Amino acid sequence: MAAARAHFGDRLAAAVERKRSQLVVGLDPIPDLLPVEMRGEVARFCCGIVDAVAPYAVAVKPQLAFFEALGASGWLAFREVCGYARRAGLLVIADGKRGDIGSTARAYAVAYLDGDEPLADALTVNPWLGRESIEPYLASARRYGAGIFCVVKTSNAGGDVQDVMLSDGHTMWQHVAGLVAEWGEDLIGECGLSAVGAVVGATHPRAVSEARKLMPQAIMLLPGVGAQGGTPADLARAFTSGPASALVTASRSVIFAFRESDSDFRTAAANEAARLRSEVWAICGW
Amino acid sequence: MAAARAHFGDRLAAAVERKRSQLVVGLDPIPDLLPVEMRGEVARFCCGIVDAVAPYAVAVKPQLAFFEALGASGWLAFREVCGYARRAGLLVIADGKRGDIGSTARAYAVAYLDGDEPLADALTVNPWLGRESIEPYLASARRYGAGIFCVVKTSNAGGDVQDVMLSDGHTMWQHVAGLVAEWGEDLIGECGLSAVGAVVGATHPRAVSEARKLMPQAIMLLPGVGAQGGTPADLARAFTSGPASALVTASRSVIFAFRESDSDFRTAAANEAARLRSEVWAICGW
């Protein structure tokens, strides 16, 4: 059976080419940080951000935690924002870092990725439960052209787990990177990129470079630029598999840019998104 | 500042003592498996199960994936079921296996554990992002008497990640078990049990026994009995730190018991819960 939509990597590659951008704007609508006039208006705020950044970003990445914290109204806001972003020509990467046994993971796949009009184009997932827990998402990739990003090495201080040294001389995250490459090897699009990508923290430049070697066909989602401290120059190695082979995500530094400026939140977000997009495009060398 | 409620382990120990039960009933409301007359009525079905199992179980464990798959109405159902279960005298363990960097994990803690009337008494969490990602939940434990269960070794075939051998001769899950013991050591209740527990698949009897040694004060949540294939007899070692030191969770084998019987779904669930509760209580040896 043919996928309802094209392969995730191919859709992304086309968008990167068209927009000359590898920027993903994270939507972290933290209630206390919203502009005063937007308090309690999470959907309206996020849709305003979507309008502002749509010319400069290829995707938005709504962080589910901040929508979940608002209960049913958060869920409605999430659905509204996802639809709005897709109509604005952006891909949607739901940042849920979900991970559960296969029969449960299937429910997450249904919730976010399956069907002809799914909420999201891709979902971030947690690899801790192994391949069996990833299978349902691979099925979504095959059948519906969905993408996933496995959390391989995070931008936080998670080294007590991810950096543990294995008996074969690799670190634990390197082992997981190898698995991610395996899980994705039957799901390579025409552009040469897999539907199975990886989250690799931009705060670890050396890890980014190693991750690229271990997962040559994975799209790398690189958080940690901006508010978390990485700089785009640290990331050049990630792009060696093509212009769409890595995405730089910036969240709070874009959506809350108004807090450091005199501009309206939309204008401030647009300016910061435009700046980052150019900076990344220049560095990636394509 | 004193916790709003008593320590999670102490509340659980009191419930175990009172009910002479270590049974947790998992609420996995898979739409296609509901009784015909309950299709589309997830909250009503789950509340019926709560009524049926309340005399025999100490807690229910709603699996978030199945509520999320229903969108906003699923969220409303989840909230209704959590409230209903707590009014029925059951503890609520939200099974979300959440895991994200600290500033995001805080939003999950707010969503499920914080406040004077939180949705849940405890949350399952994923340790892959390390201690920094767990801190917000430890704060919820200190401040609100919440509990967490870190996913240490799962009931599925997750060995490609969890069973990897480390340079120190331990497996990866054993390393994580050691971290869980560390994370929980400042959060021991009067009963001697920590607010930081662990999920350990009942399908791995030897792992259960090793896990108990590595985490002597952790409450072990043991899924995989029934539908997933483990038997209560495999689990005796888990209980060596006291009658409340382990909980056996059964989900589909209880809530869908009507499918193997001629009874109403409530009666079938009650019968199966009663049977399992006695079986586990006998085996735990207390």
Side-chain angles (χ1 to χ4, degrees):
Chain A
M1 180 182 161
R5 288 163 297 147
H7 185 280
F8 175 73
D10 293 338
R11 290 187 286 138
L12 177 71
V16 165
E17 196 67 31
R18 191 173 69 246
K19 288 191 167 174
R20 300 175 65 83
S21 170
Q22 296 110 336
L23 179 65
V24 175
V25 173
L27 303 175
D28 292 12
I30 301 168
D32 293 350
L33 300 182
L34 299 194
V36 179
E37 72 276 18
M38 289 275 156
R39 298 277 154 97
E41 306 252 22
V42 161
R44 210 149 67 84
F45 172 73
C46 291
C47 291
I49 295 286
V50 165
D51 286 335
V53 306
Y56 313 113
V58 284
V60 286
K61 181 178 71 64
Q63 169 50 259
L64 284 170
F66 296 110
F67 293 88
E68 269 177 77
L70 303 172
S73 72
W75 184 268
L76 291 171
F78 175 73
R79 173 173 286 274
E80 184 181 340
V81 171
C82 290
Y84 194 85
R86 297 184 65 187
R87 287 191 297 279
L90 292 163
L91 293 166
V92 174
I93 301 169
D95 196 357
K97 301 190 176 70
R98 297 301 192 249
D100 215 308
I101 60 171
S103 59
T104 300
R106 199 168 304 126
Y108 285 128
V110 168
Y112 297 104
L113 299 176
D114 287 3
D116 295 330
E117 297 205 30
L119 280 175
D121 297 287
L123 177 68
T124 59
V125 303
N126 188 309
W128 176 241
L129 277 72
R131 184 184 175 115
E132 194 264 356
S133 73
I134 302 294
E135 282 290 351
Y137 308 116
L138 304 183
S140 303
R142 265 178 235 117
R143 184 155 181 193
Y144 299 106
I148 58 169
F149 292 93
C150 298
V151 178
V152 168
K153 167 86 178 142
T154 42
S155 56
N156 73 336
D160 45 350
V161 176
Q162 296 163 10
D163 292 348
V164 169
M165 194 56 70
L166 307 188
S167 58
D168 68 2
H170 290 95
T171 60
M172 187 62 202
W173 77 259
Q174 290 170 330
H175 171 75
V176 170
L179 293 177
V180 166
E182 252 179 68
W183 297 339
E185 67 190 7
D186 296 333
L187 285 160
I188 311 292
E190 291 174 15
C191 62
L193 296 169
S194 175
V196 180
V199 178
V200 179
T203 42
H204 311 286
R206 209 189 320 161
V208 168
S209 163
E210 286 170 37
R212 175 45 75 216
K213 283 181 215 142
L214 292 163
M215 301 176 288
Q217 298 184 289
I219 300 162
M220 285 170 40
L221 187 65
L222 307 164
V225 167
Q228 292 179 42
T231 72
D234 292 336
L235 308 178
R237 294 294 178 84
F239 293 95
T240 51
S241 295
S245 67
L247 299 170
V248 170
T249 97
S251 304
R252 300 170 204 184
S253 64
V254 173
I255 69 173
F256 301 129
F258 72 92
R259 299 173 66 92
E260 312 283 318
S261 95
D262 297 326
S263 311
D264 166 77
F265 80 93
R266 294 174 202 79
T267 310
N271 290 344
E272 178 61 9
R275 192 188 68 72
L276 263 174
R277 173 254 211 158
S278 304
E279 198 174 336
V280 175
W281 189 262
I283 280 158
C284 88
W286 292 84
Chain B
M1 178 183 162
R5 287 164 298 147
H7 184 282
F8 174 73
D10 294 337
R11 289 188 287 135
L12 177 70
V16 166
E17 194 68 32
R18 192 174 69 244
K19 290 191 166 174
R20 300 175 66 84
S21 170
Q22 296 111 338
L23 179 65
V24 175
V25 172
L27 302 175
D28 292 14
I30 301 168
D32 293 349
L33 300 183
L34 299 195
V36 179
E37 72 275 19
M38 289 275 155
R39 297 275 155 98
E41 305 252 25
V42 161
R44 211 150 64 86
F45 172 72
C46 291
C47 292
I49 295 287
V50 165
D51 286 335
V53 306
Y56 313 112
V58 284
V60 286
K61 179 178 73 63
Q63 167 53 258
L64 283 170
F66 297 108
F67 294 88
E68 270 176 78
L70 304 172
S73 72
W75 184 269
L76 291 172
F78 175 73
R79 174 174 285 276
E80 185 183 339
V81 172
C82 290
Y84 193 85
R86 297 182 65 187
R87 288 192 297 279
L90 291 164
L91 293 166
V92 174
I93 301 169
D95 196 358
K97 302 192 175 64
R98 298 301 192 248
D100 216 308
I101 60 172
S103 60
T104 300
R106 199 170 304 125
Y108 284 127
V110 168
Y112 297 104
L113 300 176
D114 287 4
D116 295 331
E117 297 206 27
L119 281 175
D121 297 286
L123 177 68
T124 59
V125 304
N126 188 310
W128 176 240
L129 278 72
R131 182 181 177 114
E132 194 262 358
S133 73
I134 301 294
E135 281 292 349
Y137 308 116
L138 304 183
S140 303
R142 266 178 233 114
R143 185 155 178 195
Y144 298 108
I148 58 169
F149 292 92
C150 297
V151 178
V152 168
K153 168 84 178 143
T154 42
S155 55
N156 73 337
D160 46 347
V161 176
Q162 295 163 8
D163 292 348
V164 169
M165 193 56 67
L166 307 187
S167 59
D168 67 2
H170 290 94
T171 60
M172 188 62 202
W173 77 259
Q174 290 170 331
H175 172 74
V176 170
L179 293 177
V180 167
E182 251 178 72
W183 297 339
E185 67 190 7
D186 295 335
L187 285 160
I188 311 291
E190 292 176 13
C191 61
L193 296 169
S194 174
V196 180
V199 178
V200 179
T203 42
H204 311 287
R206 207 187 324 163
V208 168
S209 160
E210 285 171 38
R212 174 46 74 216
K213 283 182 212 138
L214 292 162
M215 302 177 288
Q217 297 185 289
I219 300 162
M220 285 170 39
L221 187 65
L222 306 165
V225 167
Q228 291 180 45
T231 70
D234 292 337
L235 309 176
R237 293 294 179 82
F239 292 95
T240 50
S241 295
S245 67
L247 299 170
V248 170
T249 96
S251 302
R252 299 167 204 186
S253 63
V254 172
I255 69 174
F256 300 131
F258 72 92
R259 297 172 68 92
E260 312 282 318
S261 93
D262 297 325
S263 311
D264 166 79
F265 79 93
R266 295 173 201 80
T267 310
N271 289 344
E272 178 60 10
R275 191 189 68 73
L276 264 174
R277 174 255 211 155
S278 303
E279 198 174 335
V280 175
W281 189 263
I283 282 159
C284 89
W286 292 86

